[in-house]
Amino acid sequence: MPRLIPGILCFCLLPQRALICSTIISTAGSFLKNMSKKSQSSPDRGILTLVLGLIVFGLVAVSSASSVISYERFGHNNYYFFRQLIFAGAGIAVLFVFSRIDYHFWKKWSRPLMVFGIALLALVLVPCIGFRPSSSARSWFKLGDFLFQPSELVKLLLIFYLSSWFDRKKDAHANFWFGLLPPLLVSGVVIGLVILEPDIGTAAIIAFILLILLFAAGVSLKHLGFLVGLGVAALGHGRRDLAAAL
């Protein structure tokens, strides 16, 4: 963090980057105003402001961390900054498109999308299909010059699936066999496939997402504590087995 502060100051002091930063903020402000005027249900400005703030902060971090290596490889300091800026712009465009979709659509298609996500996690493990960079996990699809990591998509699909499940099953937390066990099994399959890549970090993040949604659904702290202990033991055992195998 201390090394990042000088980068933030340099970023803001450089005219070119400061102009880009101010343009992003002003464009985002206009975007929020137009959305609230044209839409019957105005967006959550707090969440949108937080997301846009994180995007700007990410640009600052990339600029601070990559200026030297960018100059060494490409002859100027801003290659990775502008590359990240392009992806940030694409992400904001996707954000706008998806904000126009009624959330009931995701509720309706949550189960087929979850099946699709699990299929992607299984396919990425196939040697001739999944891509494995040197000394890394087999967790990518190589699409030309681009790499796609299905576990990142599955994080979102799992949120859709679990949210939809607990919305349909209002008293799911009170019935283990028919309310909690099915989503736990689905989540277990997802986490297990990610561990097989092997990607313990992503598996832990998915497990954390599961715990947050279970807590939001009203599952008791006693049951959550049991699941935490079980998950830690399973991840630790799986990590030791993978280390021994590798």
Side-chain angles (χ1 to χ4, degrees):
M1 187 66 182
R3 297 178 62 184
L4 184 59
I5 294 175
I8 296 175
L9 295 176
C10 292
F11 181 93
C12 296
L13 290 174
L14 288 174
Q16 184 185 35
R17 297 176 185 176
L19 177 62
I20 293 172
C21 188
S22 62
T23 302
I24 292 174
I25 294 174
S26 62
T27 304
S30 301
F31 169 76
L32 292 175
K33 289 181 181 179
N34 291 333
M35 284 189 67
S36 61
K37 289 179 181 178
K38 296 179 180 180
S39 177
Q40 292 182 349
S41 57
S42 60
D44 189 314
R45 295 192 177 190
I47 293 178
L48 283 175
T49 302
L50 179 62
V51 169
L52 293 171
L54 288 172
I55 291 174
V56 173
F57 184 82
L59 290 171
V60 173
V62 169
S63 174
S64 175
S66 66
S67 58
V68 174
I69 191 172
S70 179
Y71 183 80
E72 290 176 350
R73 292 184 178 181
F74 304 102
H76 58 87
N77 296 333
N78 299 323
Y79 174 81
Y80 289 109
F81 168 73
F82 284 113
R83 183 174 181 268
Q84 186 69 14
L85 184 64
I86 292 172
F87 285 112
I92 292 174
V94 172
L95 169 66
F96 176 76
V97 172
F98 275 68
S99 69
R100 305 289 89 190
I101 301 176
D102 192 297
Y103 72 92
H104 290 95
F105 171 85
W106 304 113
K107 180 179 179 180
K108 177 181 178 181
W109 290 94
S110 60
R111 283 179 285 188
L113 287 172
M114 191 70 256
V115 173
F116 173 71
I118 291 174
L120 288 179
L121 290 178
L123 284 174
V124 82
L125 297 174
V126 180
C128 59
I129 299 177
F131 176 70
R132 181 174 190 169
S134 57
S135 68
S136 181
R138 189 186 300 279
S139 56
W140 306 83
F141 290 119
K142 188 172 176 60
L143 309 171
D145 293 332
F146 293 94
L147 294 176
F148 167 65
Q149 190 173 12
S151 58
E152 294 299 319
L153 174 64
V154 170
K155 290 177 187 176
L156 183 60
L157 298 183
L158 185 64
I159 292 173
F160 289 159
Y161 171 76
L162 293 175
S163 301
S164 174
W165 176 271
F166 289 119
D167 181 66
R168 289 190 179 98
K169 310 284 185 179
K170 298 297 184 182
D171 298 322
H173 62 281
N175 190 322
F176 176 80
W177 294 106
F178 297 101
L180 287 180
L181 186 59
L184 288 177
L185 289 176
V186 172
S187 303
V189 170
V190 170
I191 294 171
L193 289 172
V194 173
I195 289 176
L196 290 176
E197 293 178 0
D199 190 346
I200 302 298
T202 299
I205 292 173
I206 294 174
F208 185 65
I209 291 172
L210 170 64
L211 287 174
I212 291 175
L213 290 172
L214 289 175
F215 176 77
V219 176
S220 67
L221 293 178
K222 179 179 68 175
H223 291 153
L224 288 177
F226 173 75
L227 290 174
V228 168
L230 186 65
V232 169
L235 286 174
H237 183 71
R239 188 169 186 174
R240 287 195 300 271
D241 288 348
L242 287 171
L246 295 175

